[in-house]
Amino acid sequence: MMYTADSPILGPQTAAMDQMSRYILSRPHGEYTEKDVADVIIPAYVRICLTVGVDPLIAVAQMIHETGNLTSFWSQRPQRNPAGIGVTGQSQQQQPVNPRGWAYNPQRQRWEAGVSFATWTDDAVPAHVGRLLAYALADGSETPPQRELIAKALSYRPFPGAFRGSAQTIKQLGRVHNPLGARGAGWASPGRNYGEAIARIANQVLAVPL
């Protein structure tokens, strides 16, 4: 199997957990240990994705792309943000009056907007996969487990109801390719090559020998 920008977000498992873990661990991966990756993060993605019909490799490849293979500031503890959720580029020197939804970046010496998550298993991964589901499924078309996960994900950061179901493929996660992109829908902006980037990572993971 080969992934393309037109590959669907929903689908079966195609890559073994070991392939995904070894891909990440073979490259710089921030502060995370082999145990963190192989025993916590990847198993959480596979378990949660399979429960709701999301292709685990799509979600993991997006996480790798968004976090620079777990090296980005936002992916590190205590942020644990797996996919730039709420990271808008907004920043300021002074501590916000309400620091919820902000984190202090000591490298840049400023406060930056974005969502932080208490755990990978119970917070970060559900928030990521549930948000993918919100893009992939129109409101009312979900199964009960899908509806529950979407609700959990959107409790961390709201999602416009009008955008539901606007991205069935990874290409459509890029705003320029999303049918509602002119209204602001899309995970990445402009995201012209977003689908290709995720597909490329997914194919590289599949090439990791078992």
Side-chain angles (χ1 to χ4, degrees):
M1 174 178 179
M2 288 290 289
Y3 284 85
T4 70
D6 294 314
S7 293
I9 292 168
L10 302 181
Q13 182 176 355
T14 61
M17 284 197 290
D18 188 53
Q19 286 177 299
M20 293 185 266
S21 298
R22 286 166 56 201
Y23 178 90
I24 292 171
L25 293 169
S26 69
R27 293 158 170 78
H29 47 275
E31 66 174 27
Y32 292 101
T33 65
E34 181 176 352
K35 181 175 178 60
D36 291 330
V37 173
D39 295 349
V40 178
I41 297 174
I42 294 303
Y45 268 108
V46 172
R47 176 178 56 81
I48 293 168
C49 284
L50 292 183
T51 301
V52 295
V54 170
D55 181 341
L57 184 51
I58 292 290
V60 170
Q62 185 187 26
M63 179 271 287
I64 291 169
H65 176 69
E66 285 278 352
T67 65
N69 200 66
L70 292 173
T71 63
S72 69
F73 164 76
W74 276 104
S75 68
Q76 303 304 293
R77 299 181 183 96
Q79 291 78 237
R80 301 181 187 84
N81 191 317
I85 297 169
V87 180
T88 62
Q90 186 180 0
S91 66
Q92 60 187 57
Q93 298 297 322
Q94 296 78 28
Q95 179 174 339
V97 176
N98 179 5
R100 189 172 187 270
W102 293 80
Y104 184 72
N105 187 334
Q107 295 172 330
R108 298 194 176 106
Q109 297 187 324
R110 66 188 188 187
W111 289 84
E112 299 179 359
V115 182
S116 296
F117 297 95
T119 69
W120 277 93
T121 301
D122 298 328
D123 302 283
V125 177
H128 179 194
V129 178
R131 205 166 186 85
L132 276 175
L133 271 179
Y135 265 112
L137 295 172
D139 191 13
S141 69
E142 324 93 336
T143 64
Q146 289 171 334
R147 189 176 308 116
E148 182 179 346
L149 186 64
I150 290 171
K152 181 178 178 66
L154 303 194
S155 72
Y156 296 101
R157 179 170 171 78
F159 185 90
F163 295 174
R164 289 289 308 275
S166 65
Q168 281 87 47
T169 68
I170 52 176
K171 179 179 182 178
Q172 291 173 322
L173 292 171
R175 185 168 296 180
V176 71
H177 299 296
N178 189 289
L180 299 178
R183 295 167 58 185
W187 202 295
S189 181
R192 192 170 304 279
N193 300 309
Y194 195 68
E196 285 85 350
I198 294 172
R200 187 180 312 114
I201 292 169
N203 290 326
Q204 290 170 350
V205 172
L206 283 177
V208 173
L210 288 167

